[in-house]
Amino acid sequence: MSWSGLPEPLRYAILGVGSILVAASALVALLTALKPAKDFSELKLRVRTWWIMSAVFLGALAFNRIGMLCFFAFLSFLALKEFLSMIPTRRADRRVLFWAYLAIPVQYLWIGMDWYGMFLVFIPVYMFLFLAMRTVLIQETDGFLKAVGTLHWGLMVSVYALSHGAWLALLKPTHGVHGGGLGLLLMLVILTQFNDVSQYAWGRLFGRTPALPKVSPKKTMEGLLGGVATTITLAVLLAPRFTLLSWSESLMAGLIIGFGGFIGDVVISAVKRDLHLKDSGQLLPGHGGILDRVDSLFFTTPLFFHFVKYLDRY
Amino acid sequence: MLRWLFYTLLVRPLTWIVLGLNVRHRERLPTGGPVILVANHNSHLDTMVLISLFPLRLLPRLRPVAAADYFLSNRLMAWFSLSIIGIIPVVRGGGAADPLQGASEALGRGDIVILFPEGSRGEPELLTEFKKGLWHLAKRHPLVPILPVFLHGLGKALPRGEALLVPFFCDVFVGTAMPWNEDREAFMADLREGMAALAAEGQLAPWD
């Protein structure tokens, strides 16, 4: 594997993300030097975790198709495990949960086999029905609806939604664009994460009007709109170069990612609030758990995927 | 050597990847012995998790105390328990000359002795009454610190009587070392309170 052997969008992503991270690290170092009295350890930890996450993600894409699928399957596993660890579960359902975990390799197998129809229906239809059947065989009716409902919700979020990212990367363009679907995946992930950060930054700078105070008191309308505008701008600049989207379609994609990311974020916030938790886990120092990081992706991935499929150019 | 391979290639990937540990107050873990490490007991995984908390170089020093009647019940099991897991066998229910001899010698050598004062795994995720053996062991080594550790979630992952492991993130709460107290009742009460305080630190998902 050589640098020039890497697909073009990946090379640009490595350079782009790398320079943003270098700038972020430099900024943190500067802040620490300028204001020695203030504690920046949380920010430092956050940036360090960004470095690791970016390296793992881009590294997995640089590897090959199997590496990419394994990365997504492992991400789904971590997200599902985190979800099942934080929600109330029934002692009787241990074996049902085991079956839910088995859905992960099977779902990614369909992607590896290029079986699109099965990829689409396996979790929403077959796992949905199968898990209800497996649960009813235990004959424990107290809390039945809550058990089957929460389990399937977790599977949809952590496996079904995220697996669209893997399929996105394997999409084949109808005519030449360097890197094929990889450009779509990189654009989706980079824009979604960038959208999170820019909504946060706009909110910190100009935030006045709370957007959903009961769910997420820190989210503001100014942050949301400023973030969406920034994401659209970036989408229009990047997408026509690395994907087959025209500039007006890129604008639409930016809009979808901007608003979708916000909704995914507040939906997971509502889940955590319901469970009286601050973070979904502790796997990513400075960020919380896996679900705290992929919360916006769980909305933007299927939405962006079906937007691209609708355009019918891949 | 086999023990090292077992813990490196099997136990660590299992505890850190298949399960995943949220360790709170990791800095309170000792960097060497002698220490009596006391934990609640819900699963065979408890020992594996506690040993995984320490760097591999301490592996020879980490000695879990386990019931002889269960872990030495046949030759294969006994070999595995003694040479691979590295247990200190203890004879339950009296009869033996000195049931605490092995653990006491290990502390004398400066080992980290892992003890489950509940005696057996019991009902998953429920704390049962602590046994008094710990007090007797501590009495012989009054200067050795006693470190309570509360484990949550392992009884969900692999409860007693189940062979199928279901992955869950597990919580490990490391407490602060407590001294021995010659008043047995007060000592046991302190330990119970210490464990309850650790359990209360976490927001644990209900499981019933």
Side-chain angles (χ1 to χ4, degrees):
Chain A
M1 186 182 358
S2 68
W3 175 251
S4 54
L6 294 177
E8 193 197 10
L10 188 58
R11 269 183 284 153
Y12 278 91
I14 292 171
L15 291 175
V17 172
S19 11
I20 293 173
L21 288 174
V22 168
S25 292
L27 189 68
V28 173
L30 192 70
L31 281 173
T32 320
L34 285 180
K35 294 183 181 168
K38 248 184 120 181
D39 181 25
F40 290 105
S41 55
E42 181 73 15
L43 190 66
K44 221 180 248 175
L45 212 56
R46 235 183 134 87
V47 172
R48 209 182 70 179
T49 307
W50 271 122
W51 272 102
I52 297 169
M53 290 189 296
S54 311
V56 171
F57 175 62
L58 296 171
L61 295 186
F63 203 60
N64 59 20
R65 171 190 160 96
I66 303 288
M68 190 272 295
L69 284 173
C70 289
F71 169 80
F72 271 95
F74 190 60
L75 191 67
S76 287
F77 170 68
L78 291 177
L80 183 64
K81 187 169 61 164
E82 200 170 84
F83 181 81
L84 295 178
S85 303
M86 75 181 189
I87 63 162
T89 46
R90 301 188 305 170
R91 194 175 290 212
D93 291 339
R94 256 176 48 85
R95 275 153 199 272
V96 183
L97 304 189
F98 189 80
W99 283 104
Y101 278 112
L102 285 186
I104 300 171
V106 179
Q107 172 73 352
Y108 286 94
L109 181 71
W110 306 140
I111 303 178
M113 288 168 69
D114 214 18
W115 189 354
Y116 185 59
M118 195 48 133
F119 156 76
L120 281 186
V121 300
F122 175 63
I123 288 173
V125 178
Y126 293 114
M127 280 315 284
F128 176 67
L129 300 176
F130 174 79
L131 290 176
M133 181 192 84
R134 187 64 189 81
T135 313
V136 85
L137 293 181
I138 295 166
Q139 302 195 58
E140 176 66 60
T141 51
D142 276 346
F144 180 83
L145 180 59
K146 198 174 169 186
V148 288
T150 47
L151 179 57
H152 197 250
W153 201 86
L155 212 52
M156 288 296 283
V157 168
S158 48
V159 187
Y160 190 62
L162 290 181
S163 69
H164 285 70
W167 195 288
L168 196 63
L170 297 177
L171 285 179
K172 289 163 203 69
T174 46
H175 60 271
V177 54
H178 206 104
L182 199 60
L184 291 170
L185 174 69
L186 283 165
M187 191 181 113
L188 167 76
V189 173
I190 290 172
L191 282 186
T192 304
Q193 302 303 339
F194 182 79
N195 180 59
D196 278 4
V197 177
S198 64
Q199 289 197 2
Y200 172 79
W202 281 95
R204 280 297 290 266
L205 290 173
F206 305 104
R208 285 227 157 67
T209 335
L212 292 168
K214 279 172 145 179
V215 179
S216 201
K218 281 185 180 163
K219 295 263 181 325
T220 59
M221 290 307 290
E222 291 80 2
L224 169 61
L225 296 176
V228 170
T230 315
T231 304
I232 290 176
T233 312
L234 199 67
V236 171
L237 288 175
L238 293 179
R241 190 191 156 104
F242 297 111
T243 70
L244 288 179
L245 304 187
S246 69
W247 79 266
S248 57
E249 289 157 359
S250 307
L251 190 147
M252 193 61 201
L255 202 65
I256 290 172
I257 292 173
F259 279 105
F262 175 82
I263 302 294
D265 196 331
V266 288
V267 165
I268 295 294
S269 293
V271 170
K272 285 186 296 185
R273 217 155 254 269
D274 184 13
L275 298 168
H276 306 290
L277 294 170
K278 191 180 156 283
D279 290 327
S280 64
Q282 298 169 29
L283 203 63
L284 306 171
H287 295 250
I290 286 282
L291 287 173
D292 291 315
R293 194 61 273 146
V294 299
D295 52 4
S296 19
L297 275 174
F298 110 72
F299 252 71
T300 58
T301 310
L303 285 176
F304 180 70
F305 177 86
H306 287 293
F307 173 67
V308 169
K309 285 300 274 187
Y310 173 77
L311 295 175
D312 213 14
R313 225 159 290 152
Y314 281 89
Chain B
M1 185 59 196
L2 270 179
R3 186 176 188 232
W4 189 86
L5 285 175
F6 172 71
Y7 280 104
T8 312
L9 299 180
L10 216 70
V11 173
R12 284 192 179 232
L14 180 82
T15 51
W16 286 102
I17 297 172
V18 178
L19 292 172
L21 304 177
N22 294 325
V23 186
R24 260 167 271 194
H25 311 303
R26 173 182 286 280
E27 71 286 352
R28 293 178 184 166
L29 288 172
T31 47
V35 173
I36 306 175
L37 202 152
V38 178
N40 57 324
H41 200 19
N42 287 308
S43 167
H44 279 320
L45 296 170
D46 294 339
T47 311
M48 308 296 140
V49 165
L50 290 170
I51 289 179
S52 302
L53 295 176
F54 291 91
L56 277 168
R57 66 178 166 80
L58 283 179
L59 188 59
R61 291 241 162 270
L62 290 158
R63 305 294 309 278
V65 174
D69 53 280
Y70 183 93
F71 286 93
L72 306 184
S73 55
N74 63 57
R75 281 180 65 186
L76 183 70
M77 183 87 161
W79 170 79
F80 184 73
S81 304
L82 292 169
S83 323
I84 306 295
I85 305 180
I87 67 161
I88 300 172
V90 59
V91 178
R92 286 195 279 204
D98 178 7
L100 296 172
Q101 192 190 356
S104 188
E105 281 171 5
L107 286 175
R109 280 194 301 271
D111 287 351
I112 300 171
V113 171
I114 297 172
L115 199 77
F116 300 107
E118 287 170 272
S120 78
R121 286 166 292 161
E123 280 293 295
E125 302 300 291
L126 285 179
L127 204 59
T128 46
E129 189 63 32
F130 290 154
K131 302 258 191 299
K132 310 282 189 311
L134 169 66
W135 182 81
H136 289 288
L137 180 63
K139 187 181 176 185
R140 294 189 205 176
H141 304 271
L143 296 177
V144 170
I146 298 156
L147 187 75
V149 176
F150 182 76
L151 304 169
H152 168 78
L154 295 154
K156 288 157 84 169
L158 188 70
R160 180 184 198 155
E162 290 274 355
L164 180 77
L165 189 148
V166 177
F168 281 102
F169 274 100
C170 298
D171 296 286
V172 180
F173 303 86
V174 184
T176 42
M178 53 183 275
W180 177 70
N181 180 346
E182 62 181 315
D183 179 349
R184 195 170 79 182
E185 291 309 315
F187 175 78
M188 297 311 284
D190 276 357
L191 182 66
R192 270 195 302 275
E193 273 166 34
M195 278 292 186
L198 286 177
E201 275 189 38
Q203 185 86 51
L204 310 174
W207 195 60
D208 43 34

